[in-house]
Amino acid sequence: MNPDIFADEVVTHALVRDVALPRGAGTLALITLDNGHDHTRPSTFGPRGLTELGEALDAVAAREDIAAVGVTGKPFIFAVGADLKGVPLIGDRADAAAVGRLGHDVFRRLGELRVPSFAYYNGAAMGGGVEIGLHCTYRTVSTGVTAFALPEAFLGLVPGWGGTYLLPRLVGAEKALKVVIDNPLAQNRMLKGPQVRELGIADAIFDSADFLEESLAWTARVLKGEVVVDRPEVDTGKAWDDAVALARWNVDGRLHGAAPSYVKAIDLIAAAKDRTRDEGFAAEDEALADLIMSEELRAGLYAFDLTQKRAKKPAGAPDAALARPVTKVGVVGAGLMASQLALLFARRLEVPVVMTDLDQERLDRGVGHAHAEIGRLLAKGRISPDKANRLTALVTGSLTKDVFADADLVIEAVFEEMSVKRAVFAEVEEHVSAECVLATNTSSLSVTEMAAGLRHPERVVGFHFFNPVAVLPLLEVVRGERTGDEALATAFATGRTLKKSCVLVKDAPAFVVNRVLLRLLAEIVAAVDEGTPIEVAERAAAPLGLPMPPFVLMGLVGPAIALHVKETLHAAFPGRFPLSDNLAKLVASGKPGVYRPDLTLDPEAVEIFAGGDRPSTEEQVLDRALAALADEIRLMLDEEVVAAPEDIDLCMLLGAGWPFHLGGITPYLDRTGISEKVTGRRFRT
């Protein structure tokens, strides 16, 4: 392997020390994985780190005086997989295959020692960090582990150091596919310590406070024969095949073949039931080599880098020192969105949150919804009874806005109508302090216009959340023409505390995500208005692998909301966002969309859109839609709606579920040649 590829590797050292096990069980050689940095720089595996680990394992394998070998990590971190910085620089397939072989050659030693090996998952474990433990004889996990995953397919790879072979043979194909396929598909969902134990990946779980001490005591009991680990026999027959078939169906329905990493991962797990370990590892090497050389991986790594780095240092954000503390929050409105916001603020900020509305019935319903959601979190074990009681006490309601007198931030979540929002802010301003930040959750209206007429327009900022609020990580922070740095800094600081990824956007119609999605939807709807069957127009977007087809998305947000945002955009850009008479008729009909609850087309909705005489093919609709997206994004960048193309990519990844394997919308348009064809230049050089 070319050593220059990973020249910047931060080496994870394999530090070996002897531990005298309790109960006279003998000596354990404990290997601690540590890159010399604190938990903010997790340990990863590059070629030099793997080589050092291999040398450590050679040394312990030669010893006759040890009873076992253990592997653990530095505080809060076990290990988070391969060092990915050098991967985009690999230009030779032989080097790509060597990455897989090196990991296998080193990790497999843990399963080939003359003594048992133990993995002690003390903290975050991902990718190769999970896989090194799978090679061990036994595994324990800490209750404090909050991030445990095999996220490779999400990035455009496969678990290539034993994951697709060892995991299904440990816990069965169904559970393995949940970790390797389902969780990455669900926006890279992480497992927590108790789930790792429940799935059977870990043989025991211990409290984080004394995790290593308890793990060593358990190790001694295993070695003494006092504890026998009983693992259910894995069904390698019909259950295995059924789980694989279901995973294939799910991936095809979601991605339509657009992400080869998921398909390869399923193929490897499907074949693992009949392969030897050597055959399984060799197949992983080949799959890894193919994917490392693919465009999908480079795209996935670009997207991952955006969400890990740019999202944490938003471009254009003011000095964080200007942010004011938020000790109480007001929420104007008590609808579903307002209830979600109230609960989010209470959970993350742990400060009083008071909701207001026009009448007691609506107010009680809104507060009740937040309290009911707290009850559901308690029932699922997501929060403790004590935490549930505290949260319930924090979320209250009032019919008068004088309760906002000591609030530091008030957010409105009322009807999406400018006159209503302006009236709300005018009333709120009469009750709050001059320093209180006023935030609007508008999805398309002008923050500048909303602040006009207030005594302190500098305090108004856009705070656009995405539905469902608790799930989608994006927060578009909108700066109006007169928004002050203090209000903006407070918005960013609050967004970070809410665990949202904030992007600064200009006060332009529909901001970023809704403007891009509505341009896409406008072209799809226009094609249907012209006579293209709805099902043909829906299938046109399938190659993009979006979370849902355009008309399904429209049904989720509601045709009335889609029409309202489109009207806002039409008023600003009539040539690019034409109004659809048929969409207006659909809204007037009161139908929730073009689909029935069983996701079959509603014949009456189909009839509403009938009458066009210029149908298009799927390919024509897709070409038209992508050309429109390239055009709109170039205009948005020229208007400086955001600082750079990366911010549009970040917004679409985190707010619209744009697939990671496409690497963001601007690289995709560049890679396919559409940006140059439509705008004359690439978005990114």
Side-chain angles (χ1 to χ4, degrees), residues 382-447:
R382 301 271 301 277
I383 56 176
S384 67
D386 182 57
K387 182 68 175 288
N389 290 335
R390 291 202 308 273
L391 289 177
T392 300
L394 287 175
V395 180
T396 60
S398 172
L399 290 176
T400 61
K401 294 181 177 60
D402 54 4
V403 292
F404 295 157
D406 57 345
D408 302 297
L409 185 148
V410 175
I411 184 167
E412 67 77 22
V414 298
F415 185 67
E416 189 77 347
E417 174 64 48
M418 180 60 75
S419 61
V420 175
K421 292 181 182 292
R422 290 190 64 172
V424 162
F425 275 158
E427 183 183 0
V428 169
E429 193 174 40
E430 296 301 317
H431 297 282
V432 298
S433 69
E435 292 76 31
C436 179
V437 174
L438 303 185
T440 170
N441 187 44
T442 181
S443 59
S444 62
L445 300 177
S446 169
V447 174

Side-chain angles (χ1 to χ4, degrees), residues 10 66 104 121 147 155 181 194 213 227 255 287 371 523 572 599 629:
V10 176
I66 56 173
H104 279 130
Y121 291 122
L155 299 175
I181 301 296
E213 181 182 353
V227 169
L255 302 175
H371 288 175
E523 297 300 326
L599 288 183
L629 290 178

